[in-house]
Amino acid sequence: MTTIPSIDSLRTQFSQAGQGHVFRFWDDLNAEDQAKLLQRASEIDLQEVAQLVETHLKGGGAHQQGFDHLEPAPYISLPENGGDAAKWKEAEAVGEQALRAGRVAAFTVAGGQGTRLGYDGPKGTFPVTPVTQKTLFQVFAEKIARSAERFSSDIHWFILTSEINNDQTVNAFEENDFFGLNPDQVHFIVQGLVPAVDADGKILLSDQATIAMTPDGHGGSLRALVRSGATALMAEKGIDCISYFQVDNPLIPCLDPAFIGFHILGNSECSSKMIPKAYPLEKVGHFCLQNGDTVVIEYSDLPEEKQQETLPDGSLRFVSGSVAIHVFDRAFIERVGGGSDAKLPFHRADKKIPFVNARGEIVKPEASNGIKFEMFVFDALPLAKNPVIIEGARAENFSPVKNAEGVDSPKTCKEDQLRQFAGWLKAAGVDLAKDDNGTPAITFEISPRFAADKQDFVSQWEKLSPQTEICDGVVIQGEGM
Ligand code: UTP
């Protein structure tokens, strides 16, 4: 247990760092609020805050990228798009071997606030499947349980939460008996927080006793894995491949043997899946090569003419969309998430942040008044040795629930799940009637506990006797599920 420094020593440290105002209301606080403020202040890394202020406020912003010599990052194509089928088979076998040997863990980042969806609760508890309304967490839990069964292995699952949603997340698992998983193999990790500052770099207070803190971004997941002791636990269990995905994407094969295999064969520290962009200005990051480094450049940073640039055959030059699907090497996480110099950079975001002014009044600003700092996980790529990028089919990998309506909403995600299920049935020889968008005419579901990906489904379906009659409302789940 760490001891909390005394108010006198903390006040001195904060004053020396130009942040003494944090204790401005100290004498007016009751004992409980004083203890709360003391605890929080003691957790703040003042040196990090000073560096952030120096770089992002005083230094006039982080270094701006030039895009003149930008190249598309190379990637391994799917066999159906010209990739070497034998190489994919080999990768799949290597990945399967690693899964069987217990070398692979699943890692879900679920610390975000899900503001766009506007759902009251952790996003992982949002119901998504078309018939039984399973939640995102249940979908992943069942895919992981199925993979553990398929590869006769223990698979550990690490879940990044934040202070805001950790208790609710843990409760959701407890109330549902961990969705059939062994609780000893499910690990919750609370991500770090960084104080928000005003335009002068002064830490904001959201009330007299509370420092305005914001989560350190999905990039903070790497240092959270180290700080929480998760990487040490992984080392103890012989886990060295970490399969990373976001909480809002139920299409993801949580543990993809071919992807894991390519990562291992490439001796890669950080591997990524690219999805070909659906249209030139799709709002995704772009995998690029910059001065020999593999990087992801956000759509908001990449000039539109680059996003739209085509090759002589008319195809998009910068076609590789980044959708936050990675495999990390554990030792790499230990390096970039630990004390080494190779750290993920912070990005600045200007926001409206309610704060208490010097008179003790709470102000709700109408325009951006504060700055929050976040790390992005894809910034790990240029720090990694031998990064590998493989192509993923969108239909098998990506349909996030981000917005309440419109694009990337529960509705589009349900349709994409239906199309995915219909595609799996087709691969198993069952063709369903579909509309012009390829959406089946009926609503049905394949239980993730029955099959975790297309290939798994085909072999499970072959073994199923009698095979389920496909009709509206049916759930394909095999016997005893
Ligand atoms: P998004 O950037 O989509 O953010 O996160 P969000 O919080 O889910 O939704 P909005 O932007 O508030 O509407 C992408 C993934 O990264 C995780 C999220 O939980 C999601 O899985 N994330 C994001 C974290 O784990 N921590 C963070 O600090 C930010």
Side-chain angles (χ1 to χ4, degrees):
M1 219 176 92
T2 46
T3 26
I4 300 175
S6 71
I7 174 61
D8 291 337
S9 90
L10 261 187
R11 212 199 287 253
T12 309
Q13 288 170 36
F14 272 67
S15 297
Q16 282 168 353
Q19 304 286 6
H21 63 283
V22 161
F23 299 104
R24 177 185 272 156
F25 304 107
W26 180 261
D27 294 336
D28 304 329
L29 302 180
N30 62 32
E32 198 184 322
D33 282 347
Q34 284 186 341
K36 197 175 84 175
L37 179 59
L38 202 60
Q39 167 77 41
R40 178 60 86 204
S42 72
E43 291 161 2
I44 290 178
D45 181 343
L46 285 170
Q47 215 182 335
E48 181 174 272
V49 175
Q51 270 167 10
L52 289 172
V53 169
E54 188 58 38
T55 313
H56 294 274
L57 278 81
K58 303 198 174 138
H63 169 68
Q64 271 297 316
Q65 292 154 315
F67 296 118
D68 287 349
H69 301 290
L70 205 64
E71 297 287 326
Y75 64 89
I76 298 166
S77 300
L78 282 166
E80 56 266 40
N81 294 333
D84 178 347
K87 200 79 206 159
W88 278 81
K89 276 265 155 254
E90 184 193 351
E92 205 177 288
V94 168
E96 183 171 330
Q97 211 174 22
L99 281 155
R100 287 191 185 281
R103 287 176 57 189
V104 190
F107 181 33
T108 310
V109 284
Q113 287 167 286
T115 27
R116 284 171 288 172
L117 185 61
Y119 167 69
D120 188 20
K123 223 193 225 185
T125 63
F126 187 78
V128 282
T129 65
V131 178
T132 59
Q133 301 294 316
K134 284 180 186 167
T135 64
L136 285 154
F137 280 140
Q138 183 165 1
V139 169
F140 303 137
E142 292 191 6
K143 284 189 190 189
I144 291 166
R146 168 64 197 147
S147 296
E149 178 182 69
R150 182 179 171 197
F151 301 118
S152 317
S153 167
D154 284 345
I155 294 178
H156 286 257
W157 185 15
F158 295 82
I159 301 169
L160 185 78
T161 64
S162 74
E163 262 186 30
I164 301 161
N165 67 17
N166 183 66
D167 290 355
Q168 278 177 292
T169 302
V170 175
N171 282 345
F173 275 77
E174 285 173 353
E175 280 163 13
N176 291 286
D177 290 331
F178 284 71
F179 308 105
L181 293 171
N182 177 349
D184 294 342
Q185 289 167 7
V186 181
H187 313 273
F188 302 96
I189 294 160
V190 183
Q191 76 176 103
L193 299 169
V194 185
V197 298
D198 68 13
D200 298 321
K202 300 286 179 202
I203 293 175
L204 288 167
L205 292 174
S206 49
D207 63 42
Q208 300 189 358
T210 313
I211 299 172
M213 306 290 289
T214 57
D216 57 4
H218 40 66
S221 61
L222 303 185
R223 68 182 191 180
L225 282 174
V226 178
R227 287 176 179 175
S228 65
T231 45
L233 180 76
M234 289 173 185
E236 206 180 286
K237 305 267 175 212
I239 296 165
D240 62 355
C241 297
I242 294 103
S243 178
Y244 172 107
F245 52 92
Q246 301 192 334
V247 74
D248 51 23
N249 179 24
L251 258 58
I252 185 86
C254 302
L255 299 145
D256 177 347
F259 187 28
I260 295 160
F262 276 120
H263 169 82
I264 293 171
L265 284 170
N267 204 14
S268 166
E269 287 190 321
C270 170
S271 301
S272 309
K273 258 191 206 173
M274 69 71 106
I275 306 282
K277 285 194 294 180
Y279 48 94
L281 297 182
E282 186 178 358
K283 292 184 173 178
V284 288
H286 295 69
F287 286 107
C288 300
L289 274 186
Q290 195 170 34
N291 304 320
D293 283 338
T294 304
V295 293
V296 170
I297 301 192
E298 284 276 63
Y299 68 91
S300 45
D301 292 331
L302 190 64
E304 282 197 4
E305 61 274 17
K306 286 251 179 262
Q307 296 185 49
Q308 291 171 311
E309 201 176 322
T310 51
L311 295 168
D313 67 0
S315 62
L316 282 177
R317 180 154 181 257
F318 291 94
V319 69
S320 299
S322 164
V323 290
I325 306 174
H326 304 285
V327 176
F328 288 103
D329 173 54
R330 191 199 68 240
F332 174 67
I333 295 181
E334 284 163 351
R335 195 169 85 234
V336 298
S340 86
D341 287 343
K343 287 198 176 79
L344 302 197
F346 275 92
H347 297 254
R348 162 187 178 152
D350 292 42
K351 299 270 170 191
K352 288 187 232 169
I353 303 176
F355 67 102
V356 67
N357 64 18
R359 291 189 297 281
E361 300 152 352
I362 295 197
V363 181
K364 291 207 169 133
E366 309 246 303
S368 294
N369 64 308
I371 294 138
K372 68 174 202 172
F373 301 103
E374 273 190 334
M375 288 181 272
F376 299 153
V377 78
F378 53 72
D379 280 328
L381 249 86
L383 306 174
K385 288 192 201 107
N386 310 322
V388 164
I389 303 174
I390 71 161
E391 182 180 3
R394 184 178 292 259
E396 296 302 328
N397 285 283
F398 187 59
S399 180
V401 180
K402 296 270 184 210
N403 307 305
E405 282 172 10
V407 74
D408 295 341
S409 63
K411 181 168 182 289
T412 56
C413 181
K414 265 192 194 111
E415 288 163 3
D416 287 335
Q417 288 175 69
L418 284 174
R419 283 193 278 266
Q420 184 184 41
F421 298 150
W424 290 8
L425 272 173
K426 186 157 189 216
V430 183
D431 222 347
L432 297 180
K434 300 185 199 80
D435 69 13
D436 294 346
N437 293 324
T439 313
I442 55 165
T443 297
F444 70 107
E445 198 167 301
I446 298 174
S447 168
R449 188 64 189 79
F450 176 69
D453 60 37
K454 189 197 269 183
Q455 202 185 8
D456 190 25
F457 178 76
V458 173
S459 80
Q460 287 281 82
W461 180 257
E462 265 170 22
K463 286 185 260 171
L464 196 61
S465 174
Q467 281 172 341
T468 315
E469 192 189 325
I470 311 299
C471 56
D472 200 39
V474 78
V475 179
I476 303 174
Q477 55 188 358
E479 266 173 63
M481 286 184 194

